[in-house]
């Protein structure tokens, strides 16, 4: 899929060139959260009137999603980080298959259109290749609400004459399933209760937006969410929360390069598990209202990490953390419990001299001296980890397939240049 887009010139093939060894100093600003923006843009289609969304990051996933909903008849106006969505003329209930395959979050169309029109079709979603990415829990939720679900040759179709609120237990607190069921339930008749729901801040942000639109939702941020369906929702204005994964990546960049960086526009409570680990490692953190200052002048101590659903340590920061651990004194253990294929960065880090041994879902990391190399970004966060490695490595690092990184980090090279990193992007 991506190969074809690259050949057609739809995706520019670029690479990042980094010369390591500079301590990062200054202020870096975090953008709005991609994983909150995507469901919220889709949720705008639930309303009868326009919504104005602020702090929407300029990322390819966002552009693809906006293109999908425009092709379905919605009007989308984008100005910088502001997006105005008018869903009044939505007349197509099927997402463009090629576009839908490009981003995981395209499946939120299913929950929204099921609630709005009782029918939706899309191709099975894409996104990062970090493991088997089933949607059985989403479909289980839709069926419980009374929908018929058909899966045929990679196309998902959902249909319902009427959705009725139900009690739904999720076998795993899936972020996507919690969101999709919440979206569908906003207009279902009666009360829906989602048990073992995910608690990620992006879900809380979506619920806050839905509430301003008129939805009746209680319990978000806990593992039991209650939704009382209502007949209609109105458009609303909403500002997206800061991206905690982007913030965490820059916080680690500061610690790694023995720098002193104010990471602006981050809610400290969203990055608590990372702050706790950085403290254990000996990094100085100063939590302020508008951001977090990260300073590291000394040696780092080894720590162990286990990825878990929120509020545990986020899987989306695991690969970046592994780079930090290569610079710590002692042996660290990383256990990945969320995705089964999330150690793809390890082979690339080994090319740069990292001493990491994988055993199933665990990785043992010993201290190592990293040197520049030619490496490839295999997925979004793996690519971010390679940027961090490049910042500390001796000599020059070339990271191919930069488009993976650009799916989730807005202007990463310009932002890092602003705090002294020697990084540039070359398009081919
Ligand atoms: C979201 C994030 C992603 C992050 C992940 C976990 C978006 C667009 N992406 O992905 O960056 O890594 O949360 O924090 O928000 N699962 C099932 N059946 C399902 C759904 C999920 O078994 O129907 C499993 C998955 O295989 C995985 C685990 O649940 O092992 C977590 O998936 P989930 O929380 O749904 O992640 P996403 O919403 O896809």
């Amino acid at each position: 899929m991506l190969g074809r887009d690259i050949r057609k010139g739809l995706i520019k093939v670029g690479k990042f060139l980094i010369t390591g060894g500079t301590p990062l100093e200054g202020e870096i600003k975090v953008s709005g959260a991609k994983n909150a923006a995507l469901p919220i843009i889709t949720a705008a289609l639930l309303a009868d009137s326009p919504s104005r969304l602020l702090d929407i990051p300029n990322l390819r996933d966002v552009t693809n999603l906006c293109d999908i909903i425009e092709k379905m008849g919605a009007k989308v106006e984008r100005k910088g980080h502001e997006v105005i969505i008018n869903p009044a003329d939505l007349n197509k209930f099927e997402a463009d298959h090629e576009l839908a395959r490009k981003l995981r979050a395209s499946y939120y169309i299913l929950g929204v259109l099921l609630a709005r029109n009782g029918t939706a079709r899309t191709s099975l979603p894409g996104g990062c290749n970090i493991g088997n990415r089933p949607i059985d829990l989403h479909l289980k939720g839709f069926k419980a609400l009374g929908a018929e679900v058909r899966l045929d040759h990679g196309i998902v179709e959902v249909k319902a004459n009427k959705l009725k609120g139900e009690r739904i237990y999720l076998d795993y607190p899936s972020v996507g399933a919690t969101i999709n069921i919440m979206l569908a339930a906003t207009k279902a008749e009666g009360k829906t209760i989602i048990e073992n729901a995910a608690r990620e801040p992006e879900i809380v942000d979506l619920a806050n937006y839905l509430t301003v639109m008129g939805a009746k939702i209680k319990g978000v941020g806990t593992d039991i969410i209650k939704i009382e369906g209502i007949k209609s929702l109105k458009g609303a204005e909403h500002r997206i929360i800061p991206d905690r994964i982007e913030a965490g990546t820059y916080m680690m960049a500061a610690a790694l390069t023995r720098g002193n960086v104010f990471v602006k526009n981050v809610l400290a409570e969203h990055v608590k598990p990372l702050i706790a680990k950085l403290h254990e490692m000996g990094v100085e953190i100063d939590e302020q209202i508008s951001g977090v200052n990260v300073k590291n002048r000394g040696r780092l101590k080894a720590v162990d990490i286990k990825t878990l659903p929120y509020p545990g340590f986020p899987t989306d920061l695991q690969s970046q953390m592994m780079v930090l651990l290569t610079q710590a004194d002692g042996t660290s253990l990383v256990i990945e419990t969320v995705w089964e294929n999330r150690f793809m960065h390890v082979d690339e880090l080994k090319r740069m001299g990292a001493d990491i041994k994988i055993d199933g879902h665990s990785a043992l990391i010993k201290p190592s001296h990293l040197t520049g190399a030619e490496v490839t970004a295999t997925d979004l966060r793996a690519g971010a980890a390679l940027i961090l490695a490049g910042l500390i490595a001796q000599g020059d690092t070339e990271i191919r397939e930069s488009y993976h990184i650009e799916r989730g980090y807005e202007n990463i090279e310009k932002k890092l240049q602003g705090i002294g990193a020697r990084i540039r992007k070359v398009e081919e």
Side-chain angles (χ1 to χ4, degrees):
M1 182 75 196
L2 281 173
R4 192 164 75 212
D5 285 350
I6 290 166
R7 283 192 296 280
K8 279 185 184 168
L10 295 174
I11 292 178
K12 286 201 181 113
V13 182
K15 55 191 178 191
F16 287 116
L17 301 177
I18 306 172
T19 305
T22 314
L24 301 180
E25 306 271 343
E27 183 177 298
I28 190 165
K29 189 170 176 221
V30 173
S31 299
K34 166 177 88 78
N35 290 346
L38 298 172
I40 287 173
I41 288 172
T42 320
L45 304 181
L46 284 168
D48 307 321
S49 51
S51 281
R52 181 163 171 253
L53 305 175
L54 306 168
D55 277 357
I56 297 283
N58 274 321
L59 297 169
R60 188 146 28 82
D61 276 7
V62 169
T63 305
N64 283 336
L65 181 62
C66 288
D67 289 349
I68 290 175
I69 64 171
E70 261 188 327
K71 283 191 171 204
M72 290 164 53
K75 284 205 179 63
V76 179
E77 267 176 69
R78 278 180 85 178
K79 246 190 293 153
H81 291 112
E82 181 180 325
V83 179
I84 295 172
I85 299 168
N86 186 347
D89 295 333
L90 195 91
N91 55 11
K92 209 173 155 217
F93 311 119
E94 180 164 4
D96 179 279
H97 293 322
E98 283 240 345
L99 284 171
R101 274 195 288 266
K102 290 183 185 169
L103 72 153
R104 179 86 180 146
S106 58
Y107 54 32
Y108 295 139
I109 294 282
L110 294 172
V112 166
L113 292 191
L114 199 51
R116 185 191 155 116
N117 301 91
T119 177
R121 254 166 78 93
T122 183
S123 51
L124 279 173
C128 278
N129 181 24
I130 50 179
N132 179 23
R133 302 189 78 165
I135 60 163
D136 55 309
L137 297 173
H138 305 230
L139 303 183
K140 173 182 165 179
F142 295 151
K143 282 183 196 158
L145 295 175
E148 261 178 56
V149 174
R150 277 184 47 192
L151 264 173
D152 192 17
H153 291 85
I155 306 292
V156 196
E157 186 169 358
V158 288
K159 269 197 171 132
N161 288 333
K162 187 156 97 183
L163 291 179
K164 266 192 98 175
E166 203 25 284
R167 183 182 288 266
I168 299 162
Y169 175 83
L170 295 180
D171 304 309
Y172 185 91
S174 151
V175 175
T178 302
I179 289 178
N180 236 340
I181 297 167
M182 207 161 96
L183 290 168
T186 51
K187 287 188 169 182
E189 189 185 294
K191 191 191 272 181
T192 298
I193 299 174
I194 310 175
E195 292 173 333
N196 200 25
R199 295 189 276 165
E200 269 67 2
E202 293 75 19
I203 297 171
V204 178
D205 201 31
L206 168 67
N208 286 341
Y209 168 59
L210 290 169
T211 304
V212 187
M213 292 169 89
K216 293 201 171 125
I217 305 176
K218 290 269 177 289
V220 273
T222 77
D223 59 356
I224 298 186
I225 299 179
K226 295 181 181 162
I227 305 138
E228 188 77 51
I230 53 162
K231 287 225 156 56
S232 73
L233 294 164
K234 56 184 187 320
E237 179 168 314
H238 181 77
R239 187 176 293 279
I240 306 294
I241 51 166
D243 195 310
R244 63 195 165 100
I245 306 300
E246 187 194 7
T249 304
Y250 299 146
M251 288 166 67
M252 285 191 265
L256 186 66
T257 60
R258 295 199 180 177
N260 183 7
V261 175
F262 182 62
V263 184
K264 195 175 166 182
N265 193 33
V266 43
L267 296 171
E269 62 266 33
H270 290 172
V271 282
K272 278 287 177 210
L274 174 64
I275 289 178
K277 286 294 161 184
L278 290 176
H279 266 307
E280 271 182 56
M281 294 180 82
V283 179
E284 285 174 47
I285 308 273
D286 180 15
E287 295 175 29
Q288 297 175 17
I289 291 172
S290 59
V292 175
N293 200 80
V294 181
K295 184 171 163 190
N296 176 32
R297 297 295 190 217
R299 310 229 15 116
L300 294 167
K301 293 187 207 75
V303 293
D304 295 339
I305 301 287
K306 186 176 185 180
T307 67
L308 286 167
Y310 191 85
F313 192 90
T315 171
D316 286 354
L317 288 177
Q318 177 260 104
S319 44
Q320 302 91 312
M321 189 64 175
M322 211 183 265
V323 178
L324 199 57
L325 297 176
T326 66
Q327 302 306 304
D329 293 332
T331 302
S332 307
L333 173 68
V334 168
I335 303 174
E336 171 63 51
T337 75
V338 181
W339 298 110
E340 73 266 27
N341 195 14
R342 211 158 204 189
F343 285 143
M344 287 195 296
H345 48 287
V346 170
D347 280 343
E348 301 302 305
L349 289 175
K350 280 183 177 170
R351 287 179 206 274
M352 300 177 73
D355 182 352
I356 303 172
K357 283 196 182 59
I358 299 178
D359 183 9
H361 291 293
S362 308
L364 268 187
I365 300 113
K366 290 191 173 153
S368 54
H369 175 70
L370 300 184
T371 49
E374 283 184 18
V375 289
T376 304
T378 49
D379 69 65
L380 167 54
R381 307 303 171 188
L386 294 175
I387 289 195
L388 294 193
L391 292 174
I392 189 78
Q394 184 185 350
D396 297 332
T397 296
E398 180 178 315
I399 304 171
R400 289 180 296 251
E401 311 212 354
S402 62
Y403 56 84
H404 283 296
I405 301 167
E406 287 151 5
R407 278 193 43 231
Y409 293 87
E410 182 177 358
N411 285 332
I412 188 167
E413 76 282 11
K414 291 201 181 71
K415 288 190 186 186
L416 287 172
Q417 282 163 7
I419 49 172
R422 286 181 288 167
I423 176 171
R424 64 195 170 94
K425 204 181 122 195
V426 182
E427 258 161 24
E428 294 169 333

